[in-house]
Amino acid sequence: AQSVTQLGSHVSVSEGALVLLRCNYSSSVPPYLFWYVQYPNQGLQLLLKYTTGATLVKGINGFEAEFKKSETSFHLTKPSAHMSDAAEYFCAVRVVPLFSGGYNKLIFGAGTRLAVHP
Amino acid sequence: DTAVSQTPKYLVTQMGNDKSIKCEQNLGHDTMYWYKQDSKKFLKIMFSYNNKELIINETVPNRFSPKSPDKAHLNLHINSLELGDSAVYFCASSQRTRMVSDTQYFGPGTRLTVL
């Protein structure tokens, strides 16, 4: 079964420091991977996604992620953290359930809360 | 010009009551979803509808009944509310049902508290 594991439920960095949020997936087929961000009391917003092609994906707000098939990883990075980056981050994989007629759904990781301190 | 909207934003009610949450998308998408986010922020799909037709039901208790009057609306009705139903419920939509690369757009969420 396809699944997503996010290592570290809480990550704390200093403003200006590198942000690294880890995501590993399990999938028997080529995965479609997503990172979403949830700011306090708001809905989820897509940061970036990997479908096919280039393995380094650039998203909004200076974030990027690299798909590494050999490591089954899709870690999210940002070179320099900003106070406004404090939020919950979710990694997700798109799966096509058996007998669903091709319809698909997102499986989310448990989320990583990013705190940015001055 | 909100893309995916939900009402109400907050809902506080007593155990045993029946309540509804409404969702509307103005993106022209074919597919809509309901997700439940529990107190630990874990997000799980509940239902998916394509053009008013139920396509995914994730073994949700039958106290939860989604209804889609048209493809722009997906409402969630919950009967006999229980304490464990307290959560944030998110509606989402995507353009093409079978395209795995499609982005899902989420609403702002409805925080349901059952007392």
Side-chain angles (χ1 to χ4, degrees), chain A residues 84-102:
Chain A
S84 61
D85 294 327
E88 192 90 22
Y89 291 80
F90 293 92
C91 183
V93 63
R94 180 71 60 80
V95 303
V96 181
L98 287 175
F99 313 116
S100 72

Side-chain angles (χ1 to χ4, degrees), chain B residues 29-56:
Chain B
H29 289 169
D30 286 340
T31 309
M32 296 184 73
Y33 311 81
W34 276 111
Y35 286 86
K36 179 180 180 180
Q37 186 177 46
D38 64 23
S39 58
K40 295 184 178 175
K41 299 285 188 178
F42 185 63
L43 199 64
K44 191 173 189 303
I45 190 169
M46 300 172 68
F47 300 102
S48 175
Y49 266 73
N50 176 58
N51 213 359
K52 302 193 296 176
E53 179 186 350
L54 178 68
I55 53 174
I56 292 176

Side-chain angles (χ1 to χ4, degrees), chain B residues 1 6 10 13-14 20 52 59 91 105:
Chain B
D1 60 343
Q6 295 179 229
Y10 299 96
T13 188
Q14 300 286 332
S20 291
K52 302 193 296 176
T59 60
C91 178
Y105 295 85

Side-chain angles (χ1 to χ4, degrees), chain B:
Chain B
D1 60 343
T2 305
V4 182
S5 59
Q6 295 179 229
T7 54
K9 190 169 175 62
Y10 299 96
L11 186 53
V12 181
T13 188
Q14 300 286 332
M15 261 181 16
N17 284 351
D18 303 338
K19 290 292 178 186
S20 291
I21 306 171
K22 297 186 181 224
C23 177
E24 176 180 4
Q25 53 95 2
N26 62 6
L27 298 167
H29 289 169
D30 286 340
T31 309
M32 296 184 73
Y33 311 81
W34 276 111
Y35 286 86
K36 179 180 180 180
Q37 186 177 46
D38 64 23
S39 58
K40 295 184 178 175
K41 299 285 188 178
F42 185 63
L43 199 64
K44 191 173 189 303
I45 190 169
M46 300 172 68
F47 300 102
S48 175
Y49 266 73
N50 176 58
N51 213 359
K52 302 193 296 176
E53 179 186 350
L54 178 68
I55 53 174
I56 292 176
N57 181 341
E58 288 289 303
T59 60
V60 178
N62 57 15
R63 297 184 295 105
F64 291 78
S65 52
K67 285 189 171 49
S68 182
D70 55 63
K71 75 173 192 177
H73 295 85
L74 180 62
N75 304 322
L76 183 65
H77 188 76
I78 315 171
N79 289 326
S80 303
L81 279 155
E82 301 177 356
L83 293 176
D85 297 332
S86 295
V88 181
Y89 292 84
F90 287 99
C91 178
S93 72
S94 64
Q95 186 172 17
R96 293 157 296 184
T97 309
R98 290 191 172 91
M99 287 297 293
V100 290
S101 60
D102 252 13
T103 298
Q104 289 186 19
Y105 295 85
F106 283 77
T110 296
R111 183 176 295 274
L112 171 65
T113 303
V114 182
L115 303 176

Side-chain angles (χ1 to χ4, degrees), chain A residues 6-13 20-22 87-89 110-116, chain B residues 39-41:
Chain A
Q6 290 184 241
L7 296 174
S9 57
H10 290 82
V11 170
S12 181
V13 300
L20 170 60
L21 304 182
R22 299 177 188 273
E88 192 90 22
Y89 291 80
T112 297
R113 174 159 293 180
L114 176 66
V116 182
Chain B
S39 58
K40 295 184 178 175
K41 299 285 188 178

